[in-house]
Amino acid sequence: SIPKIKPATLNDKYSYWTIKEDLRGNIWVGACQGGVFIFDKNRNLIRHLMQQPDKSNSLTSNCVRDIMVDKNNRIYIASASGLVWYDYANDRYHAVRTDSGADVLNISHMCRTASNRILIATETGGIYEIKRGRNSAQVIELYPAEKGRFQTIFEGLDGSLYSVRNSEKICVFQLDNLGLHLRDSLPIGGLVNGFYENSTGKLLYFATSNGIVRIGKSKGSKPVYVTNQNGLPGNYIAGL
């Protein structure tokens, strides 16, 4: 059986958006309106992070949409109101902003690449990267906001990046030291909630609001949809 984490502090009215494990084996759960719950290896709640509007040392919002852990165990917490990195040892929050001091709003998803670069997709437009210093971090724009709204971003085996734009199609990007470059697009619409690439690197699978979509990486491949008509209990697939 699968044990359910259900301490008294969890609330069924919360919407749970993300679960990540840090390098110490702790589990971080991000919830909309619930902030962040941190559990140890034995599923004991060891800390509950919430926004405290009267304090500067706080989450930017209790609606946490994604959490990311880098190779140095620095924890990034993203919400609709901005991004912070959390210093667990000292219980300190550090705002991560652009070079002009602006918060990046409506963050929907973060992706850590194989080369340890952390990318951010935003619903209000644009793709960003977190540039990290020893005791600081800053957000830089990789793909301008006017070019679209991006909900999720995933990395393939060959380093290609896949991000859904405006719920209309999936853009295929290449990332290098000069920036992010649009290389191709796939005719897959709807919300994209998950990604899988088979071991041969020839087939891509996307979990979408319209079913599971399979598409080949060769030029001209057409998407194949697996929906409730093919035996799924519903068309909205939340993860893969």
Side-chain angles (χ1 to χ4, degrees):
S1 65
I2 300 175
K4 184 176 182 180
I5 298 175
K6 184 70 175 174
T9 48
L10 285 184
N11 188 322
D12 287 336
K13 294 181 180 179
Y14 296 151
S15 174
Y16 298 95
W17 284 55
T18 182
I19 300 176
K20 294 293 191 303
E21 182 179 11
D22 69 19
L23 302 186
R24 298 184 182 91
N26 296 323
I27 303 298
W28 297 63
V29 179
C32 189
Q33 306 309 325
V36 177
F37 300 89
I38 309 173
F39 300 90
D40 65 15
K41 297 176 182 179
N42 298 315
R43 303 193 302 277
N44 298 310
L45 181 67
I46 55 177
R47 194 168 294 183
H48 183 197
L49 310 180
M50 292 285 285
Q51 183 189 31
Q52 301 178 59
D54 58 331
K55 295 183 180 180
S56 58
N57 182 40
S58 172
L59 289 177
T60 57
S61 167
N62 284 329
C63 190
V64 173
R65 294 185 171 182
D66 205 3
I67 297 170
M68 183 58 61
V69 183
D70 73 9
K71 68 176 183 179
N72 298 315
N73 211 35
R74 184 181 287 187
I75 313 297
Y76 294 90
I77 303 172
S79 74
S81 302
L83 176 70
V84 298
W85 70 268
Y86 180 60
D87 181 353
Y88 185 89
N90 298 302
D91 191 26
R92 297 288 301 176
Y93 302 83
H94 303 267
V96 184
R97 299 186 172 103
T98 66
D99 57 359
S100 64
D103 285 307
V104 176
L105 304 178
N106 297 313
I107 296 172
S108 55
H109 190 245
M110 293 188 287
C111 170
R112 177 180 163 188
T113 70
S115 58
N116 200 41
R117 297 172 72 171
I118 297 179
L119 309 182
I120 300 170
T122 70
E123 289 181 348
T124 50
I127 298 174
Y128 298 81
E129 180 178 4
I130 301 173
K131 289 292 187 180
R132 291 155 288 171
R134 184 170 182 178
N135 295 304
S136 63
Q138 189 178 82
V139 177
I140 63 168
E141 185 181 68
L142 286 180
Y143 205 69
E146 61 267 19
K147 293 193 176 183
R149 295 176 287 107
F150 296 88
Q151 288 107 7
T152 48
I153 186 165
F154 304 98
E155 183 181 31
L157 297 176
D158 63 356
S160 296
L161 295 165
Y162 301 89
S163 185
V164 60
R165 180 169 68 184
N166 300 339
S167 299
E168 295 174 350
K169 60 184 176 182
I170 293 176
C171 294
V172 185
F173 294 99
Q174 198 68 43
L175 179 66
D176 59 27
N177 292 332
L178 299 178
L180 191 65
H181 313 283
L182 182 62
R183 194 180 68 190
D184 199 357
S185 63
L186 304 176
I188 299 171
L191 295 176
V192 176
N193 305 310
F195 168 80
Y196 173 76
E197 185 173 3
N198 74 341
S199 58
T200 67
K202 295 181 179 180
L203 286 175
L204 304 173
Y205 297 82
F206 296 93
T208 80
S209 56
N210 300 314
I212 295 175
V213 184
R214 182 182 74 245
I215 188 169
K217 293 177 70 174
S218 59
K219 199 72 174 178
S221 292
K222 302 294 184 182
V224 176
Y225 284 79
V226 179
T227 67
N228 59 346
Q229 295 182 5
N230 307 105
L232 289 179
N235 291 345
Y236 190 98
I237 310 300
L240 186 63

Short mmCIF file of all heavy atoms in Angstrom, two decimals, residues 101-148:
data_model
loop_
_atom_site.label_atom_id
_atom_site.label_comp_id
_atom_site.label_asym_id
_atom_site.label_seq_id
_atom_site.Cartn_x
_atom_site.Cartn_y
_atom_site.Cartn_z
N GLY A 101 15.53 45.09 -10.05
CA GLY A 101 14.86 44.96 -8.76
C GLY A 101 13.42 44.53 -8.83
O GLY A 101 12.71 44.53 -7.82
N ALA A 102 12.97 44.13 -10.02
CA ALA A 102 11.56 43.72 -10.18
C ALA A 102 11.38 42.24 -9.88
O ALA A 102 12.25 41.41 -10.19
CB ALA A 102 11.10 44.02 -11.61
N ASP A 103 10.23 41.91 -9.28
CA ASP A 103 9.88 40.51 -9.07
C ASP A 103 9.40 39.90 -10.38
O ASP A 103 8.75 40.57 -11.20
CB ASP A 103 8.77 40.39 -8.03
CG ASP A 103 9.27 40.62 -6.61
OD1 ASP A 103 10.24 39.96 -6.20
OD2 ASP A 103 8.69 41.49 -5.92
N VAL A 104 9.68 38.63 -10.59
CA VAL A 104 9.12 37.89 -11.72
C VAL A 104 7.82 37.26 -11.22
O VAL A 104 7.82 36.41 -10.33
CB VAL A 104 10.09 36.80 -12.21
CG1 VAL A 104 9.44 35.97 -13.31
CG2 VAL A 104 11.37 37.44 -12.73
N LEU A 105 6.71 37.70 -11.81
CA LEU A 105 5.39 37.30 -11.32
C LEU A 105 4.83 36.11 -12.08
O LEU A 105 5.23 35.81 -13.20
CB LEU A 105 4.42 38.49 -11.42
CG LEU A 105 4.87 39.78 -10.71
CD1 LEU A 105 3.85 40.88 -10.94
CD2 LEU A 105 5.09 39.54 -9.22
N ASN A 106 3.85 35.45 -11.46
CA ASN A 106 3.09 34.36 -12.09
C ASN A 106 3.98 33.25 -12.63
O ASN A 106 3.80 32.76 -13.74
CB ASN A 106 2.20 34.92 -13.20
CG ASN A 106 1.15 35.87 -12.65
OD1 ASN A 106 0.49 35.58 -11.66
ND2 ASN A 106 1.01 37.03 -13.27
N ILE A 107 4.95 32.85 -11.81
CA ILE A 107 5.80 31.71 -12.18
C ILE A 107 4.95 30.44 -12.13
O ILE A 107 4.24 30.19 -11.17
CB ILE A 107 7.00 31.59 -11.22
CG1 ILE A 107 7.91 32.82 -11.37
CG2 ILE A 107 7.78 30.31 -11.49
CD1 ILE A 107 9.01 32.89 -10.33
N SER A 108 5.02 29.66 -13.19
CA SER A 108 4.22 28.44 -13.25
C SER A 108 5.06 27.18 -13.11
O SER A 108 4.56 26.15 -12.63
CB SER A 108 3.44 28.40 -14.57
OG SER A 108 4.32 28.53 -15.66
N HIS A 109 6.34 27.23 -13.51
CA HIS A 109 7.13 26.00 -13.53
C HIS A 109 8.61 26.34 -13.59
O HIS A 109 9.00 27.34 -14.19
CB HIS A 109 6.74 25.16 -14.76
CG HIS A 109 7.30 23.78 -14.76
ND1 HIS A 109 8.20 23.34 -15.70
CD2 HIS A 109 7.10 22.72 -13.93
CE1 HIS A 109 8.52 22.08 -15.47
NE2 HIS A 109 7.86 21.69 -14.39
N MET A 110 9.44 25.49 -12.95
CA MET A 110 10.89 25.63 -13.04
C MET A 110 11.49 24.31 -13.52
O MET A 110 10.96 23.24 -13.28
CB MET A 110 11.48 26.01 -11.68
CG MET A 110 11.08 27.39 -11.21
SD MET A 110 11.95 27.94 -9.71
CE MET A 110 11.15 26.92 -8.45
N CYS A 111 12.61 24.40 -14.22
CA CYS A 111 13.29 23.23 -14.77
C CYS A 111 14.78 23.33 -14.48
O CYS A 111 15.40 24.35 -14.79
CB CYS A 111 13.05 23.15 -16.28
SG CYS A 111 14.04 21.91 -17.14
N ARG A 112 15.34 22.30 -13.88
CA ARG A 112 16.80 22.22 -13.69
C ARG A 112 17.38 21.34 -14.79
O ARG A 112 17.04 20.17 -14.90
CB ARG A 112 17.12 21.65 -12.30
CG ARG A 112 18.61 21.48 -12.05
CD ARG A 112 18.86 20.92 -10.66
NE ARG A 112 20.20 20.38 -10.55
CZ ARG A 112 20.65 19.69 -9.50
NH1 ARG A 112 19.85 19.46 -8.48
NH2 ARG A 112 21.88 19.23 -9.48
N THR A 113 18.24 21.90 -15.61
CA THR A 113 18.80 21.16 -16.74
C THR A 113 19.92 20.24 -16.29
O THR A 113 20.41 20.32 -15.15
CB THR A 113 19.33 22.12 -17.81
OG1 THR A 113 20.52 22.77 -17.31
CG2 THR A 113 18.28 23.17 -18.18
N ALA A 114 20.36 19.38 -17.20
CA ALA A 114 21.44 18.46 -16.89
C ALA A 114 22.74 19.20 -16.56
O ALA A 114 23.59 18.69 -15.84
CB ALA A 114 21.67 17.51 -18.06
N SER A 115 22.88 20.43 -17.07
CA SER A 115 24.06 21.24 -16.79
C SER A 115 23.87 22.13 -15.57
O SER A 115 24.65 23.05 -15.33
CB SER A 115 24.42 22.09 -18.02
OG SER A 115 23.33 22.93 -18.38
N ASN A 116 22.80 21.88 -14.81
CA ASN A 116 22.50 22.57 -13.55
C ASN A 116 22.09 24.03 -13.73
O ASN A 116 22.25 24.84 -12.83
CB ASN A 116 23.69 22.49 -12.57
CG ASN A 116 23.27 22.74 -11.13
OD1 ASN A 116 22.22 22.27 -10.68
ND2 ASN A 116 24.05 23.51 -10.41
N ARG A 117 21.55 24.37 -14.88
CA ARG A 117 20.96 25.69 -15.08
C ARG A 117 19.47 25.60 -14.72
O ARG A 117 18.81 24.62 -15.07
CB ARG A 117 21.16 26.16 -16.51
CG ARG A 117 22.62 26.34 -16.87
CD ARG A 117 22.85 26.62 -18.34
NE ARG A 117 22.42 27.98 -18.72
CZ ARG A 117 22.68 28.51 -19.91
NH1 ARG A 117 23.33 27.81 -20.83
NH2 ARG A 117 22.28 29.74 -20.19
N ILE A 118 18.97 26.60 -14.01
CA ILE A 118 17.58 26.58 -13.58
C ILE A 118 16.79 27.60 -14.40
O ILE A 118 17.10 28.80 -14.38
CB ILE A 118 17.45 26.88 -12.08
CG1 ILE A 118 18.15 25.78 -11.27
CG2 ILE A 118 15.98 26.96 -11.68
CD1 ILE A 118 18.10 25.99 -9.78
N LEU A 119 15.78 27.11 -15.13
CA LEU A 119 14.95 27.94 -16.00
C LEU A 119 13.57 28.11 -15.39
O LEU A 119 13.08 27.24 -14.66
CB LEU A 119 14.84 27.32 -17.39
CG LEU A 119 16.16 26.94 -18.06
CD1 LEU A 119 15.89 26.37 -19.44
CD2 LEU A 119 17.11 28.12 -18.14
N ILE A 120 12.92 29.22 -15.73
CA ILE A 120 11.62 29.56 -15.17
C ILE A 120 10.66 29.86 -16.31
O ILE A 120 10.96 30.67 -17.19
CB ILE A 120 11.72 30.81 -14.27
CG1 ILE A 120 12.68 30.56 -13.10
CG2 ILE A 120 10.36 31.22 -13.75
CD1 ILE A 120 12.99 31.82 -12.32
N ALA A 121 9.48 29.22 -16.29
CA ALA A 121 8.40 29.57 -17.22
C ALA A 121 7.36 30.38 -16.46
O ALA A 121 7.05 30.09 -15.30
CB ALA A 121 7.77 28.30 -17.78
N THR A 122 6.83 31.41 -17.12
CA THR A 122 5.84 32.28 -16.46
C THR A 122 4.57 32.37 -17.28
O THR A 122 4.59 32.36 -18.51
CB THR A 122 6.40 33.70 -16.25
OG1 THR A 122 6.51 34.36 -17.52
CG2 THR A 122 7.75 33.68 -15.57
N GLU A 123 3.44 32.49 -16.58
CA GLU A 123 2.14 32.58 -17.24
C GLU A 123 1.90 33.95 -17.86
O GLU A 123 1.09 34.08 -18.78
CB GLU A 123 1.03 32.26 -16.25
CG GLU A 123 0.98 30.80 -15.86
CD GLU A 123 -0.15 30.50 -14.90
OE1 GLU A 123 -0.73 31.46 -14.37
OE2 GLU A 123 -0.44 29.32 -14.68
N THR A 124 2.56 34.97 -17.35
CA THR A 124 2.36 36.31 -17.90
C THR A 124 3.34 36.61 -19.02
O THR A 124 3.32 37.70 -19.58
CB THR A 124 2.50 37.38 -16.80
OG1 THR A 124 3.70 37.14 -16.06
CG2 THR A 124 1.32 37.32 -15.86
N GLY A 125 4.17 35.64 -19.37
CA GLY A 125 5.01 35.79 -20.54
C GLY A 125 6.48 35.71 -20.25
O GLY A 125 6.99 36.26 -19.28
N GLY A 126 7.19 35.02 -21.14
CA GLY A 126 8.63 34.98 -21.06
C GLY A 126 9.19 33.79 -20.30
O GLY A 126 8.52 33.15 -19.50
N ILE A 127 10.46 33.50 -20.61
CA ILE A 127 11.23 32.46 -19.94
C ILE A 127 12.48 33.10 -19.35
O ILE A 127 13.13 33.93 -20.00
CB ILE A 127 11.60 31.33 -20.92
CG1 ILE A 127 10.32 30.66 -21.45
CG2 ILE A 127 12.50 30.30 -20.26
CD1 ILE A 127 10.59 29.64 -22.54
N TYR A 128 12.82 32.72 -18.13
CA TYR A 128 13.92 33.33 -17.40
C TYR A 128 14.89 32.27 -16.90
O TYR A 128 14.59 31.07 -16.89
CB TYR A 128 13.39 34.12 -16.19
CG TYR A 128 12.47 35.25 -16.55
CD1 TYR A 128 11.12 35.02 -16.84
CD2 TYR A 128 12.93 36.57 -16.60
CE1 TYR A 128 10.27 36.06 -17.17
CE2 TYR A 128 12.07 37.61 -16.93
CZ TYR A 128 10.75 37.35 -17.21
OH TYR A 128 9.91 38.38 -17.53
N GLU A 129 16.07 32.73 -16.47
CA GLU A 129 17.05 31.84 -15.86
C GLU A 129 17.52 32.45 -14.54
O GLU A 129 17.66 33.68 -14.41
CB GLU A 129 18.26 31.63 -16.77
CG GLU A 129 19.31 30.70 -16.17
CD GLU A 129 20.50 30.43 -17.08
OE1 GLU A 129 20.55 31.04 -18.17
OE2 GLU A 129 21.37 29.64 -16.68
N ILE A 130 17.78 31.59 -13.56
CA ILE A 130 18.33 32.03 -12.29
C ILE A 130 19.85 32.00 -12.38
O ILE A 130 20.44 30.94 -12.65
CB ILE A 130 17.86 31.14 -11.13
CG1 ILE A 130 16.34 31.15 -11.01
CG2 ILE A 130 18.49 31.59 -9.81
CD1 ILE A 130 15.80 30.15 -9.99
N LYS A 131 20.49 33.13 -12.19
CA LYS A 131 21.95 33.22 -12.12
C LYS A 131 22.35 33.28 -10.66
O LYS A 131 21.93 34.18 -9.94
CB LYS A 131 22.45 34.46 -12.87
CG LYS A 131 22.32 34.37 -14.37
CD LYS A 131 23.27 33.32 -14.95
CE LYS A 131 23.28 33.35 -16.47
NZ LYS A 131 24.19 32.33 -17.04
N ARG A 132 23.17 32.34 -10.23
CA ARG A 132 23.46 32.19 -8.82
C ARG A 132 24.89 32.61 -8.47
O ARG A 132 25.83 32.25 -9.17
CB ARG A 132 23.25 30.73 -8.40
CG ARG A 132 21.80 30.29 -8.42
CD ARG A 132 21.67 28.80 -8.61
NE ARG A 132 22.00 28.41 -9.98
CZ ARG A 132 22.12 27.16 -10.40
NH1 ARG A 132 21.97 26.18 -9.55
NH2 ARG A 132 22.41 26.90 -11.66
N GLY A 133 25.00 33.37 -7.38
CA GLY A 133 26.28 33.67 -6.80
C GLY A 133 26.42 32.89 -5.51
O GLY A 133 25.54 32.11 -5.12
N ARG A 134 27.54 33.11 -4.81
CA ARG A 134 27.77 32.35 -3.58
C ARG A 134 26.70 32.63 -2.53
O ARG A 134 26.19 31.72 -1.88
CB ARG A 134 29.15 32.68 -3.03
CG ARG A 134 29.52 31.86 -1.81
CD ARG A 134 30.97 32.05 -1.44
NE ARG A 134 31.33 31.23 -0.30
CZ ARG A 134 32.56 31.16 0.21
NH1 ARG A 134 33.53 31.88 -0.34
NH2 ARG A 134 32.81 30.39 1.25
N ASN A 135 26.35 33.91 -2.38
CA ASN A 135 25.35 34.28 -1.38
C ASN A 135 24.23 35.12 -1.98
O ASN A 135 23.58 35.89 -1.27
CB ASN A 135 26.00 35.04 -0.22
CG ASN A 135 26.97 34.17 0.56
OD1 ASN A 135 26.61 33.11 1.06
ND2 ASN A 135 28.22 34.62 0.65
N SER A 136 24.03 34.99 -3.28
CA SER A 136 23.01 35.81 -3.94
C SER A 136 22.48 35.07 -5.16
O SER A 136 23.04 34.05 -5.59
CB SER A 136 23.60 37.16 -4.37
OG SER A 136 24.63 36.96 -5.33
N ALA A 137 21.40 35.58 -5.72
CA ALA A 137 20.83 35.03 -6.94
C ALA A 137 20.05 36.13 -7.64
O ALA A 137 19.52 37.04 -7.01
CB ALA A 137 19.93 33.84 -6.64
N GLN A 138 20.00 36.04 -8.97
CA GLN A 138 19.32 37.04 -9.78
C GLN A 138 18.63 36.35 -10.94
O GLN A 138 19.06 35.28 -11.39
CB GLN A 138 20.32 38.07 -10.29
CG GLN A 138 19.72 39.28 -10.97
CD GLN A 138 20.81 40.26 -11.41
OE1 GLN A 138 21.44 40.11 -12.44
NE2 GLN A 138 21.02 41.28 -10.59
N VAL A 139 17.54 36.95 -11.43
CA VAL A 139 16.80 36.40 -12.56
C VAL A 139 17.10 37.22 -13.81
O VAL A 139 17.06 38.45 -13.78
CB VAL A 139 15.28 36.42 -12.27
CG1 VAL A 139 14.50 35.91 -13.47
CG2 VAL A 139 14.96 35.56 -11.05
N ILE A 140 17.42 36.54 -14.91
CA ILE A 140 17.64 37.22 -16.18
C ILE A 140 16.64 36.68 -17.21
O ILE A 140 16.24 35.52 -17.17
CB ILE A 140 19.07 37.06 -16.70
CG1 ILE A 140 19.38 35.58 -16.99
CG2 ILE A 140 20.07 37.63 -15.73
CD1 ILE A 140 20.65 35.39 -17.77
N GLU A 141 16.24 37.54 -18.13
CA GLU A 141 15.29 37.15 -19.16
C GLU A 141 16.01 36.44 -20.29
O GLU A 141 17.00 36.93 -20.83
CB GLU A 141 14.57 38.39 -19.70
CG GLU A 141 13.47 38.06 -20.70
CD GLU A 141 12.80 39.31 -21.24
OE1 GLU A 141 13.47 40.06 -21.98
OE2 GLU A 141 11.63 39.54 -20.90
N LEU A 142 15.51 35.25 -20.66
CA LEU A 142 16.05 34.51 -21.79
C LEU A 142 15.20 34.66 -23.04
O LEU A 142 15.72 34.68 -24.16
CB LEU A 142 16.15 33.03 -21.45
CG LEU A 142 17.25 32.57 -20.50
CD1 LEU A 142 17.16 31.06 -20.29
CD2 LEU A 142 18.62 32.94 -21.02
N TYR A 143 13.88 34.72 -22.84
CA TYR A 143 12.95 34.80 -23.98
C TYR A 143 11.89 35.81 -23.62
O TYR A 143 11.20 35.67 -22.61
CB TYR A 143 12.33 33.43 -24.24
CG TYR A 143 11.87 33.23 -25.66
CD1 TYR A 143 12.79 33.12 -26.70
CD2 TYR A 143 10.52 33.14 -25.97
CE1 TYR A 143 12.37 32.94 -28.00
CE2 TYR A 143 10.09 32.95 -27.27
CZ TYR A 143 11.02 32.85 -28.29
OH TYR A 143 10.61 32.66 -29.58
N PRO A 144 11.75 36.87 -24.42
CA PRO A 144 10.93 38.02 -24.03
C PRO A 144 9.46 37.70 -23.76
O PRO A 144 8.88 36.80 -24.38
CB PRO A 144 11.08 38.97 -25.22
CG PRO A 144 12.32 38.54 -25.92
CD PRO A 144 12.41 37.06 -25.72
N ALA A 145 8.88 38.48 -22.87
CA ALA A 145 7.48 38.29 -22.48
C ALA A 145 6.53 38.46 -23.66
O ALA A 145 5.51 37.77 -23.74
CB ALA A 145 7.13 39.26 -21.36
N GLU A 146 6.84 39.37 -24.59
CA GLU A 146 5.91 39.63 -25.68
C GLU A 146 5.82 38.46 -26.66
O GLU A 146 4.96 38.44 -27.54
CB GLU A 146 6.31 40.90 -26.44
CG GLU A 146 7.68 40.87 -27.08
CD GLU A 146 8.77 41.44 -26.19
OE1 GLU A 146 8.55 41.53 -24.97
OE2 GLU A 146 9.83 41.79 -26.72
N LYS A 147 6.70 37.46 -26.51
CA LYS A 147 6.66 36.32 -27.42
C LYS A 147 5.78 35.18 -26.92
O LYS A 147 5.70 34.13 -27.55
CB LYS A 147 8.08 35.82 -27.68
CG LYS A 147 8.92 36.82 -28.46
CD LYS A 147 10.19 36.21 -28.99
CE LYS A 147 10.96 37.21 -29.85
NZ LYS A 147 12.18 36.62 -30.43
N GLY A 148 5.13 35.38 -25.78
CA GLY A 148 4.17 34.36 -25.37
C GLY A 148 4.11 34.10 -23.89
O GLY A 148 4.95 34.56 -23.12
#
